[in-house]
């Protein structure tokens, strides 16, 4: 089975895994690595050498995996097409939130680092700043609007 | 003792903590669920479950009329508010008092006096307790804030009168920053506390956050349960707390002075519950009254661990006029050292909230560990609530042992599917200044442990995650 990992910057990698009895055999860039699995009192344990064993957190869903401060979407067995990429001029929500205040209007000039709008998430106000110098091309949100993660809030035409 | 029916108007780990104490004391724990959290883990510990209608905090946990209806319908004797939400709301405690319902917390007058920062400062001053220089009352306009800042000198702190928990607070280095932040702090104050009044005060450099736990009964007995230090903060919110304070260290004279000053503050408002007096201590060991939190605090477990005093149970007991578990101040002694790490659903580098769904959860801890949490696989953390999902508490014979235990515990704490600050805690616990106990509230800002958190884990870590998916049984 091939697993694909895609992060928010559209960086991706893949690994292959094959189940052989009590062993999962991984193949990454041609290199094979086995992970041994044992069950003890209803819990799963893993080992790379069959000597040192550690508790395995079984994952009930494979929607997203996190590696410290990077989030990867996980695709088991397939990679969907049409994952579009946002540039520096596209302000996309990184977490669900609510628009508190719009500081700019369509047609306004902005500089890189300038606050374009204020987004409230988890009772905190966050200033959403322009990633580029340019002009506001479109604003797709209203004040008070609740947004999901991954929503394109504002588009900035770079260099204009 | 007659068994009471107690409604818990809170959620998450604190609702679990309160329910456990109620059950242990022989009371009936009544928990609530809401439309935006229909399967809250705290109900596992509550004997009765009640529907609090609505899908946002304003309509549920902050909705006094609906809560009063529930109290009447389910014949509730008392309410525990936990922390946050209505825990320090004068209107709520007064409404309960009028109906003869016990508020498990201090009397409404103490909530009012300590809740408004301008009044609490005045009371502390009158009781002979030093306070941080600042505005004497609410500051209505930007110009007024700039004028006061000019008098007391920059840097200054803009903060909400009704604030707490780090919300509605911003430091300003100059006039420009006051102009830039004034309206934002007001808005945060209004959305978090429903009241937008602001204060201006002096911002002390390299300060230590020292707070003293108070436990008082309704007969006028006020005890302190020693101090905690909560100097590791981000956005003015604590992430690591320890007791006793490493900055006070072996200076028993200073410890006694700080704790007795706290008792003086509590007595000044006829305090009659569990509460915390917060001080800011400069590098010169001079300390100033900051505020009194008239509620049980997030970090109460470390005090419980080093003294053996069950703060939540005693808070409930005194509310129903039952005696405390101890008789005199001398009954309370410090034994050992405790450290608490707040486990939050947030990016370990930017420290910004990162809601999501927990897909895997396992723990393997050494002895001496207490984990107060509300985590389970499939638990979805929404932006509606605070990102704190658990508190990892270690107790040891001394600070070194507590550190050893908490490091080991952190290695055995696996939370998958969301970003957490576990990676950041690992860096801090192994960082030299923290290990030596030499840090101020500027620690995160100056030492920047967040910069040492690696963004990506090894390929082996990904293989283990994939093994977790393969072995879950959902794909076979």
């Amino acid at each position: 089975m091939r697993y694909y990992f895609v992060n928010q910057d559209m960086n991706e990698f893949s690994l292959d895994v094959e189940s052989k009895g009590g062993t999962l055999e991984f193949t990454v860039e041609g290199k094979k690595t086995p992970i041994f699995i044992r069950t003890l009192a209803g819990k799963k344990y893993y080992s790379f050498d069959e000597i040192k064993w550690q508790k395995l957190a079984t994952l009930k869903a494979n929607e997203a995996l996190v590696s410290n401060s990077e989030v990867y979407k996980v695709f088991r067995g397939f990679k969907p097409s049409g994952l579009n990429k946002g540039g520096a001029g596209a302000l996309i929500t990184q977490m669900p939130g609510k628009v508190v205040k719009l500081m700019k209007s369509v047609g306004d000039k902005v500089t890189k680092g300038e606050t374009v709008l204020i987004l409230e998430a988890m009772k905190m106000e966050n200033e959403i700043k322009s990633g580029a110098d340019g002009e506001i091309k479109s604003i797709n949100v209203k004040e008070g609007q609740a947004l999901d993660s991954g929503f394109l809030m504002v588009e900035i035409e770079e260099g204009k | 003792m007659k068994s009471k029916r107690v409604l818990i108007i809170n959620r998450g780990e604190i609702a679990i903590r309160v329910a456990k104490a109620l059950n242990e004391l022989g009371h009936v724990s009544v928990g609530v669920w809401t439309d935006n959290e229909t399967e809250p883990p705290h109900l596992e510990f509550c004997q009765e479950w009640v529907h609090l209608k609505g899908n946002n905090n304003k309509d549920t946990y902050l909705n006094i009329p609906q809560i009063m209806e529930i109290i009447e319908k389910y014949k509730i004797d008392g309410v525990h508010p936990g922390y946050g939400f209505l825990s320090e709301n004068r209107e709520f405690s007064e409404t309960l008092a009028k109906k003869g319902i016990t508020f498990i917390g201090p009397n409404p007058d103490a909530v009012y006096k300590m809740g408004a920062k301008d009044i609490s400062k005045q009371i502390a001053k009158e009781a002979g307790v030093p306070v941080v220089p600042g505005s004497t009352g609410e500051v209505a306009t930007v110009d007024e804030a700039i004028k006061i800042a000019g008098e007391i000198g920059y840097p200054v702190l803009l903060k909400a009168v009704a604030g707490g928990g780090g919300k509605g607070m911003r430091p300003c280095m100059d006039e420009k920053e006051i102009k830039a932040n004034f309206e934002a702090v007001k808005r945060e104050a209004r959305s978090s506390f429903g009241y937008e009044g602001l204060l201006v005060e002096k911002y002390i450099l390299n300060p230590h956050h020292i707070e003293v736990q108070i436990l008082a009964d309704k007969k006028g007995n006020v005890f302190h349960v020693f101090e905690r230090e909560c100097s590791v903060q981000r956005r003015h919110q604590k992430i690591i707390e320890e007791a006793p304070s490493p900055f006070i260290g072996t200076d028993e004279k200073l410890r006694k002075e700080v704790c007795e000053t706290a008792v003086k503050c509590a007595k000044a408002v006829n305090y009659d519950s569990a509460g915390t007096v917060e001080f800011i201590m400069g590098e010169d060991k001079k300390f100033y009254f900051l505020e009194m939190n008239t509620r049980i605090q997030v970090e109460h477990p470390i005090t419980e661990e080093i003294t053996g005093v069950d703060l939540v149970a005693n808070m409930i007991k005194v509310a129903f006029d039952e005696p405390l578990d101890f008789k005199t101040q001398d009954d309370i002694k410090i034994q050992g050292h405790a450290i608490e790490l707040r486990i939050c659903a947030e990016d370990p580098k930017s420290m910004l909230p990162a809601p999501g769904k927990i897909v895997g959860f396992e723990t393997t801890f050494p002895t001496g560990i207490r984990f107060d949490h509300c985590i389970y696989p499939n638990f979805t953390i929404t932006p509606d609530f605070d990102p704190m999902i658990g508190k990892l508490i270690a107790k040891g014979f001394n600070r070194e042992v507590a550190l050893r235990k908490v490091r080991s515990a952190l290695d055995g704490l696996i939370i998958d599917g969301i970003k957490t600050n576990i990676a950041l805690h690992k860096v801090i616990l192994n960082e030299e200044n923290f290990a030596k106990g030499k840090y101020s509230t500027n620690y995160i800002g100056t030492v920047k442990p967040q910069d040492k958190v690696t963004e990506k884990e090894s390929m082996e870590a990904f293989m283990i995650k994939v093994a977790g998916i393969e072995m879950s049984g959902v794909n076979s």
Side-chain angles (χ1 to χ4, degrees):
Chain A
M1 185 60 62
R2 179 162 289 180
Y3 276 83
Y4 296 92
F5 300 89
V6 185
N7 77 0
Q8 60 202 32
D9 301 325
M10 295 298 131
N11 292 322
E12 61 172 80
F13 67 93
S14 66
L15 56 80
D16 291 303
V17 59
E18 202 182 329
S19 184
K20 290 180 174 173
T23 309
L24 294 171
E25 192 174 76
F26 286 83
T27 310
V28 184
E29 288 164 2
K31 191 175 164 270
K32 286 193 192 309
T33 310
I35 291 187
F36 304 96
I37 305 288
R38 281 188 66 177
T39 307
L40 214 69
K43 284 198 185 297
K44 302 286 182 195
Y45 290 76
Y46 70 89
S47 174
F48 283 95
D49 56 9
E50 285 197 279
I51 297 166
K52 187 188 173 203
W53 294 87
Q54 279 180 285
K55 218 176 264 172
L56 178 69
T58 54
L59 309 185
K60 304 286 184 207
N62 52 4
E63 296 146 8
L65 285 184
V66 178
S67 171
N68 286 356
S69 83
E70 283 194 310
V71 178
Y72 287 86
K73 282 208 162 108
V74 186
F75 302 99
R76 186 178 186 271
F78 73 102
K79 189 175 72 169
S81 57
L83 291 169
N84 57 339
K85 187 171 177 167
L91 304 184
I92 297 168
T93 49
Q94 300 299 319
M95 58 180 133
K98 198 172 94 181
V99 180
V100 178
K101 198 170 169 43
L102 284 164
M103 314 291 281
K104 298 284 171 194
S105 312
V106 173
D108 284 359
K109 294 258 189 265
V110 288
T111 54
K112 190 178 172 180
E114 197 177 345
T115 303
V116 178
L117 60 89
I118 295 171
L119 190 72
E120 187 194 276
M122 292 186 149
K123 295 194 270 176
M124 279 249 323
E125 289 200 353
N126 304 286
E127 292 175 352
I128 306 298
K129 293 173 170 146
S130 173
D133 294 337
E135 189 182 297
I136 306 276
K137 195 173 126 199
S138 73
I139 295 178
N140 309 322
V141 295
K142 286 188 296 229
E143 286 184 6
Q145 189 176 347
L147 306 172
D148 272 336
S149 188
F151 191 91
L152 178 66
M153 297 179 284
V154 174
E155 278 183 286
I156 295 152
E157 197 165 341
E158 286 177 54
K160 200 173 164 182
Chain B
M1 179 207 80
K2 192 183 163 286
S3 173
K4 306 284 186 185
R5 297 176 53 73
V6 180
L7 180 68
I8 305 164
I9 290 296
N10 217 301
R11 58 175 294 285
E13 67 85 22
I14 193 64
I16 295 174
R17 175 68 186 90
V18 172
K20 282 179 177 177
L22 288 168
N23 298 344
E24 166 195 329
L25 291 167
H27 298 307
V28 179
S29 50
V30 184
V32 295
W33 58 278
T34 61
D35 295 310
N36 56 338
E37 197 182 25
T38 53
E39 296 173 28
H42 63 257
L43 292 184
E44 180 187 345
F45 300 89
C46 296
Q47 294 166 32
E48 295 184 16
W49 304 358
V50 172
H51 184 190
L52 188 56
K53 291 189 192 78
N55 56 16
N56 62 68
N57 297 339
K58 208 171 125 256
D59 291 345
T60 55
Y61 292 104
L62 298 172
N63 184 346
I64 297 174
Q66 193 191 172
I67 293 165
M68 295 313 292
E69 276 172 33
I70 287 172
I71 285 169
E72 196 159 334
K73 189 172 169 194
Y74 294 91
K75 299 187 168 44
I76 298 296
D77 300 306
V79 174
H80 199 303
Y83 49 67
F85 297 131
L86 293 175
S87 60
E88 293 173 286
N89 185 301
R90 178 193 178 193
E91 189 193 337
F92 185 50
S93 55
E94 274 180 352
T95 308
L96 291 173
K98 271 184 211 142
K99 295 266 176 192
I101 308 296
T102 303
F103 176 73
I104 302 177
N107 62 74
D109 187 55
V111 174
Y112 166 63
K113 284 179 176 159
M114 284 305 185
K117 289 198 172 81
D118 48 348
I119 300 171
S120 72
K121 253 174 127 171
Q122 196 53 42
I123 289 168
K125 249 191 223 169
E126 282 163 15
V129 176
V131 299
V132 180
S135 61
T136 42
E138 278 179 36
V139 177
T141 64
V142 178
D143 290 339
E144 207 184 325
I146 291 166
K147 186 172 161 274
I148 293 164
E151 286 163 18
I152 59 175
Y154 288 95
V156 296
L157 194 64
L158 275 182
K159 59 192 223 181
V161 173
K167 277 159 192 141
M169 238 199 251
R170 285 190 195 190
C172 302
M173 297 301 151
D174 51 36
E175 194 176 316
K176 215 176 111 208
E177 289 194 13
I178 290 187
K179 282 181 181 157
N181 287 322
F182 197 82
E183 288 302 323
V185 178
K186 256 191 168 175
R187 271 197 306 275
E188 250 182 62
R190 194 169 47 225
S191 69
S192 296
F193 314 108
Y195 186 69
E196 62 174 27
L198 296 189
L199 296 178
V200 177
E201 66 179 34
K202 185 149 183 73
Y203 192 56
I204 294 170
L205 295 167
N206 295 322
H208 290 260
H209 178 108
I210 310 279
E211 58 183 38
V212 177
Q213 177 67 50
I214 294 292
L215 199 50
D217 64 19
K218 290 185 175 178
K219 297 176 188 77
N221 297 308
V222 180
F223 302 95
H224 70 78
V225 198
F226 293 102
E227 88 283 2
R228 297 184 282 261
E229 176 157 359
C230 321
S231 296
V232 181
Q233 306 183 350
R234 49 109 180 82
R235 299 192 302 266
H236 289 274
Q237 236 179 343
K238 304 152 188 170
I239 53 170
I240 300 180
E241 300 100 345
E242 48 185 318
S245 154
F247 184 65
I248 293 178
T250 54
D251 192 342
E252 293 303 330
K253 193 171 154 265
L254 179 62
R255 173 164 293 119
K256 193 163 182 251
E257 196 189 330
V258 173
C259 293
E260 285 176 357
T261 305
V263 170
K264 215 190 306 181
C265 291
K267 279 187 172 163
V269 290
N270 298 317
Y271 205 75
D272 54 355
S273 181
T276 301
V277 181
E278 296 192 339
F279 297 102
I280 186 165
M281 192 180 275
E283 286 165 320
D284 53 3
K285 296 196 172 176
K286 279 203 182 104
F287 59 91
Y288 308 92
F289 171 82
L290 267 188
E291 60 178 12
M292 180 166 189
N293 292 317
T294 55
R295 58 166 192 267
I296 190 76
Q297 275 187 298
V298 171
E299 60 272 25
H300 74 273
I302 51 175
T303 298
E304 296 185 325
E305 293 302 315
I306 62 158
T307 61
V309 176
D310 187 324
L311 295 169
V312 178
N314 277 286
M315 183 185 188
I316 296 165
K317 286 180 86 179
V318 292
F320 291 118
D321 248 336
E322 286 167 40
L324 289 160
D325 289 337
F326 51 86
K327 288 194 173 65
T328 69
Q329 183 65 56
D330 289 340
D331 293 341
I332 308 167
K333 290 190 169 59
I334 298 178
Q335 204 272 316
H337 193 97
I339 297 176
E340 174 183 279
L341 310 180
R342 295 193 188 190
I343 307 300
C344 303
E346 65 182 32
D347 187 294
K349 289 183 84 69
S350 71
M351 293 172 279
L352 288 171
K357 184 172 166 185
I358 293 171
V359 297
F361 172 54
E362 284 297 343
T363 60
T364 317
F365 293 150
T367 59
I369 295 297
R370 166 173 167 186
F371 191 34
D372 286 14
H373 70 92
C374 58
I375 302 166
Y376 65 97
N378 280 344
F379 179 43
T380 300
I381 294 126
T382 68
D384 299 348
F385 306 114
D386 196 89
M388 196 197 72
I389 51 174
K391 307 181 305 201
L392 188 63
I393 303 129
K395 167 156 192 212
F397 179 76
N398 54 31
R399 188 171 190 267
E400 212 173 305
V401 176
L403 268 175
R404 179 181 82 205
K405 285 178 181 287
V406 80
R407 281 193 197 110
S408 167
L410 211 48
D411 285 338
L413 176 61
I414 306 165
I415 300 171
D416 262 313
I418 55 163
K419 291 185 194 180
T420 70
N421 58 353
I422 291 174
L424 174 64
H425 281 309
K426 283 182 179 170
V427 172
I428 295 173
L429 292 177
N430 291 300
E431 192 277 322
E432 196 186 353
N433 293 293
F434 182 81
K436 284 185 188 153
K438 292 191 189 332
Y439 59 88
S440 76
T441 56
N442 296 331
Y443 179 79
I444 295 288
T446 54
V447 178
K448 296 190 190 303
Q450 64 275 24
D451 290 352
K452 296 194 189 88
V453 176
T454 51
E455 274 168 27
K456 198 168 152 181
E457 289 173 291
S458 64
M459 187 54 80
E460 284 189 355
F462 278 95
M463 288 185 201
I464 294 164
K465 289 176 202 288
V466 168
I469 296 171
E470 286 290 306
M471 298 317 293
S472 67
V474 294
N475 297 307
S476 55

